Amino acid sequence: MLFKISTVITMAAAVLGHMEIYKPCPRYSSKCSSQPALPAGETIDYNLNTPIGSNGNILAPFCKHTTPWTQATETWTAGQPVTVSFVAGGATHSGGHCEFSISYDGGNTYVVVHQELKYCFFTASPSAGGVDTVRDYTFTLPANLPGTDKAVFAWTWVNAVGNREFYNNCGDIAIKGSAGSYTGKKMTIANYGAGYPVIPEFLGNYDTGISYYTTNTTQVTVTGNGYTGGATTPTATTATTTAVPTTSTTTKAPTSTAPVTTATQVSTPTPGTGSCTSNTYQCSSDGSGYQVCLNSAWSSVIKCSSGTICYNNGGSVYCGWP
C-alpha cells in the first residue's frame, strides 16, 4: 500500500487543524485562486490547516510536502511590500507567535523577514478587546534581500491556547533582486520533536516563550545568485526541521545543536516491519522515496516526485534533484 503524505498526516494528527495561508499559494493547496501543475504523483492536500507538531511530537514533515511546486507561485521584489493572506475562518487559539521566513537553500536555513508576536490574527490583545479578524499581513521585504529564482517562503505559528502545537505552511516563490547575501534572525522552532523547546500554554501571559523570538536567538546568513526570471522548478525542501535547529547565542536554550551532515542515502527495512522511533523518517533503500515511523513500525515507501530522489541529511530527509 502506498501512503500519500496527506494520509500520513491524517493518521498521525490527533487534533483538528485550524489556520492556513492561501497567498503565496502553499504546496498542493486547494484554496488558491490558481496553482501551478502538481508535481508528478502528488495530489491536492485538503488538510493544510493541521499542525505539523504537537506537545513536542512530530506529526508531519516541515512544509508538509517535501517536493515543491513545479514553478514559483509568486514573484516578490526586495525592498517592496508583500502580502501574506490566510483562509477566512479557522480557529485562532487566542493568537500566539507567528513568523514569516525565507530559505534560499531548499529549506535547510530560514531567515526571518517578519514577525507577528503575541497576538497573531488579532487586532490587539484579547484582554483589551482585540478580535481575531486579521487574515492579511502586509510587510516590506528587506531592501538588501538577495534575488533568486527559487526560494521557499514559510509561515510558522505557535498558538497561545490549547494543545502545544506548531503550525507551518510553505510556498515556492521567486525574489527580484541582485546577487548577494542577507543576515537576519533564524527561524524559531518549538513544540516539534526532540531538541526543540515546548512553549507552554500562555494562560493570559502573552510574553510566554517570547524570548525564543526576541533575545534568545541566532543570526544566519542566506545567499542568492540574483533573479533571472527563468525559474521553472523550485528546489526541494527538507522533510523535518532537525536540519534547521534554533540555537541560542545568549542564554543557552534547550534546542538542537546537531550539525548538518552530508546528504547520503540509507538502507531501509521491509515496510511495516521492524522497530523504530515514532515520528522519524528515513530514505528507502533505492532512494525512490522515504518512510515514516508510525506506532513503532515503518510505513510503506512514500514516493518522491518523478526525477527526484531521497537524501538523508542528518536527522532529516528530503526529495531533491540528483
Side-chain angles (χ1 to χ4, degrees), residues 233-253:
T233 307
T235 306
T237 66
T238 53
T240 66
T241 54
T242 50
V244 285
T246 302
T247 54
S248 173
T249 56
T250 53
T251 305
K252 181 66 175 178

Side-chain angles (χ1 to χ4, degrees), residues 165-249:
E165 294 167 337
F166 188 59
Y167 290 81
N168 161 243
N169 289 159
C170 292
D172 298 293
I173 63 171
I175 299 174
K176 290 184 178 180
S178 303
S181 62
Y182 174 78
T183 299
K185 179 196 169 297
K186 196 173 191 176
M187 174 194 289
T188 297
I189 300 169
N191 306 341
Y192 187 70
Y196 297 105
V198 174
I199 296 177
E201 197 168 13
F202 289 15
L203 300 177
N205 178 10
Y206 280 82
D207 286 328
T208 301
I210 202 72
S211 64
Y212 293 113
Y213 294 84
T214 55
T215 59
N216 190 16
T217 62
T218 296
Q219 298 287 295
V220 294
T221 299
V222 294
T223 302
N225 294 326
Y227 174 77
T228 69
T232 56
T233 307
T235 306
T237 66
T238 53
T240 66
T241 54
T242 50
V244 285
T246 302
T247 54
S248 173
T249 56

